[in-house]
Structure formats: C-alpha cells, structure tokens
Amino acid sequence: MTCKEAERLVIPYINDELTDEELKEFLEHTQTCSDCMEELEIYFTIEAGIMQLDSETGNYNIKGALEAALEQSRQRLQFIQLIKIARYAVSTVCVMALVITVLLQCRIWLQLGLLG
C-alpha cells in the first residue's frame, strides 16, 4: 500500500468503514510508516475531539483512544484469521470423513462380491 492510498483510508478507518482486506493493509502500512501514522493521529484527534464536544464526554485521552482502536482492529483481524483456519480445519475433516466412508463402503461391497 502506498502512502497516498493509506491517507485516503484514514477517514474510512476512523468511521469503521474499511473492508477486512483494506483494514489489514492499512494497519500494516501505518505500523511501518511514521508519516501515515502521524496523519492518522491528526485526523483521529480532530474527529475524536469533535465527537467529544458533541457528546460532552469528559474523556480527553485521545491518544489512548487511538491506541485502543488500533488494538481492537488488530484483534478483529486475528479473530477473522482464526475463523478462517477453523473453517479450513472443519472442511478438511469433512472431506477426510467422506473419503473414509467411501472406502469403507467399497470394502463392504468387495466383501459382498458386488464390486469386481
């Protein structure tokens, strides 16, 4: 991902509008690019400040809120990855069960003289 692409995704990230793939690429880029992380911090500070003024909340730890949002995004991606792995594992077990069932059925048919 280029810096220009990352900068384009800052506001959608803050508004939680990124797809999982965009989120993954955005987080990877901002972890390695200090300029884009700074851009994110600036926009997040502005957005969070405006939201706090509108809602009149007393929490002014905006940097902590950004770190929490980034951590939550990382955890979301990890959860999605775990779900994918679980889905592949279940699919593999199902295919193996089907193959074993077919082989056992063929063995029964051979013993009964229905095959070959």
Side-chain angles (χ1 to χ4, degrees):
M1 173 173 285
T2 66
C3 289
K4 191 165 199 76
E5 292 170 333
E7 288 173 5
R8 181 182 58 80
L9 295 177
V10 167
I11 297 299
Y13 171 76
I14 293 170
N15 295 328
D16 197 27
E17 298 171 346
L18 296 181
T19 65
D20 295 335
E21 188 60 35
E22 288 173 330
L23 179 61
K24 180 179 182 228
E25 291 178 19
F26 179 76
L27 290 177
E28 288 173 355
H29 181 81
T30 55
Q31 284 179 333
T32 59
C33 181
S34 59
D35 291 338
C36 289
M37 180 54 90
E38 184 177 330
E39 190 82 12
L40 174 60
E41 288 173 352
I42 291 168
Y43 279 99
F44 190 86
T45 301
I46 292 168
E47 288 288 321
I50 290 171
M51 288 179 6
Q52 287 178 2
L53 287 174
D54 288 343
S55 65
E56 298 179 5
T57 59
N59 182 10
Y60 296 103
N61 184 6
I62 295 174
K63 184 160 178 72
L66 174 59
E67 291 171 3
L70 290 170
E71 183 59 30
Q72 184 179 17
S73 296
R74 288 185 199 100
Q75 288 176 354
R76 175 179 157 201
L77 290 175
Q78 287 175 343
F79 180 74
I80 290 168
Q81 186 65 25
L82 286 174
I83 294 296
K84 286 180 182 179
I85 291 169
R87 188 178 68 216
Y88 291 136
V90 168
S91 296
T92 301
V93 169
C94 288
V95 168
M96 289 174 59
L98 180 64
V99 168
I100 290 170
T101 302
V102 168
L103 290 174
L104 289 174
Q105 187 62 45
C106 287
R107 181 176 160 218
I108 291 169
W109 288 339
L110 282 173
Q111 288 175 347
L112 295 175
L114 298 175
L115 290 179

